[in-house]
Amino acid sequence: MSLLASQRYTDRVVASPLVLVQEILNTRSAGRPLQPDLLSSPSSANAWLAAALKEWARLSGMNAPVIEVDTAGLVRLQQLRDNLQFHLNGAGVPPDWAPQDIRGSLAVTMDKSGAVKIVPKGKDVSWVISAALYEISREDQMDRWRRLKLCKNEKCSVAFYDNTNNNNSVWHDLQICGNAANLRASRRRRAAMSA
C-alpha cells in the first residue's frame, strides 16, 4: 500500500509540486471503507510526511529536509489542513471554526551560475507550511490553484486535481460520489413532481 494519502482515495493526483498541498488535505479520514486520519498521531504523521516530501522533491527537483513531527508539529499540521479545507470550500471544518493566519518563510538564493531560486525556509513543520504556501502561490500565479478542489460530497471531501479542459468537475470520482448524489437529486425531483 502506498503511503501517499491521496492515492488512498483518487487517481486524480496533481502531477506537480502542488501535490504536497493535496497530500496535506487528504490526510483526513474519509472514503469507504473509512481510511484512518494520517494526522492522528506523530508516528502516522511521520510515515505519511516522509512519503509526501519524497514525492514533492521528485516533482519539484528540490531537496526536502527530513522532518520529525512531534506533538506540537502535529497540531500545526492539523491547523494547516483545516485552514486549507476552509479556504477551498469549508468542507470537513466545524461550523464554529474560524481560520487562523498561516505564515511561512521563503529564501531567495542565487547559486554560482547566477540562477535565482525561491526555496521554503524553516525547521520541522514550519518548513512544510512554508513549502505548502509557496506551492499555492506558485500555482495561483499560473492559474492552476483553482484546479485543486474538494469533492462536493461533504461526507467525502477528498482533494482532487481537476485537469478537465473547462475545470468544472465537482466529484473526486463520479462513480463513487457523483452517481449517488445525482440519484438522490433525481429521486427528490420525482417525489416533488408527484406531490
Side-chain angles (χ1 to χ4, degrees):
M1 184 178 112
S2 169
L3 290 177
L4 289 178
S6 299
Q7 291 176 343
R8 301 182 302 167
Y9 305 125
T10 185
D11 59 357
R12 298 174 77 180
V13 178
V14 63
S16 78
L18 187 63
V19 72
L20 180 61
V21 177
Q22 184 179 18
E23 278 294 296
I24 293 166
L25 286 161
N26 283 332
T27 56
R28 65 188 292 270
S29 181
R32 286 202 173 113
L34 196 63
Q35 297 292 319
D37 183 338
L38 298 177
L39 298 182
S40 63
S41 70
S43 62
S44 63
N46 281 314
W48 158 75
L49 188 56
L53 291 180
K54 183 177 179 183
E55 183 67 2
W56 175 84
R58 183 183 75 78
L59 292 168
S60 70
M62 291 194 264
N63 294 323
V66 175
I67 295 175
E68 196 68 29
V69 178
D70 59 11
T71 304
L74 185 65
V75 170
R76 292 186 70 204
L77 283 173
Q78 292 165 342
Q79 290 171 338
L80 175 62
R81 178 180 66 189
D82 289 347
N83 270 278
L84 293 171
Q85 286 176 298
F86 179 85
H87 289 293
L88 280 178
N89 74 1
V93 178
D96 60 346
W97 186 86
Q100 308 285 316
D101 282 345
I102 307 172
R103 298 184 189 277
S105 298
L106 301 173
V108 181
T109 63
M110 181 184 286
D111 66 16
K112 294 175 194 173
S113 69
V116 176
K117 290 183 182 177
I118 299 174
V119 295
K121 220 173 111 175
K123 291 187 176 193
D124 301 323
V125 170
S126 294
W127 185 93
V128 177
I129 293 169
S130 296
L133 294 175
Y134 170 68
E135 295 306 339
I136 291 169
S137 173
R138 200 172 71 79
E139 293 292 317
D140 192 41
Q141 289 173 4
M142 293 183 273
D143 197 31
R144 294 189 306 223
W145 166 237
R146 64 188 175 92
R147 291 186 171 276
L148 188 62
K149 300 177 178 181
L150 296 181
C151 183
K152 187 177 176 180
N153 178 351
E154 289 182 18
K155 292 180 181 177
C156 171
S157 301
V158 166
F160 69 96
Y161 190 74
D162 184 356
N163 60 2
T164 61
N165 288 336
N166 54 5
N167 190 35
N168 67 350
S169 292
V170 294
W171 313 110
H172 87 280
D173 186 308
L174 184 60
Q175 301 300 316
I176 295 171
C177 290
N179 284 349
N182 292 336
L183 181 61
R184 282 191 301 273
S186 174
R187 287 178 180 159
R188 280 193 301 271
R189 285 190 301 271
R190 278 187 274 162
M193 290 170 80
S194 64

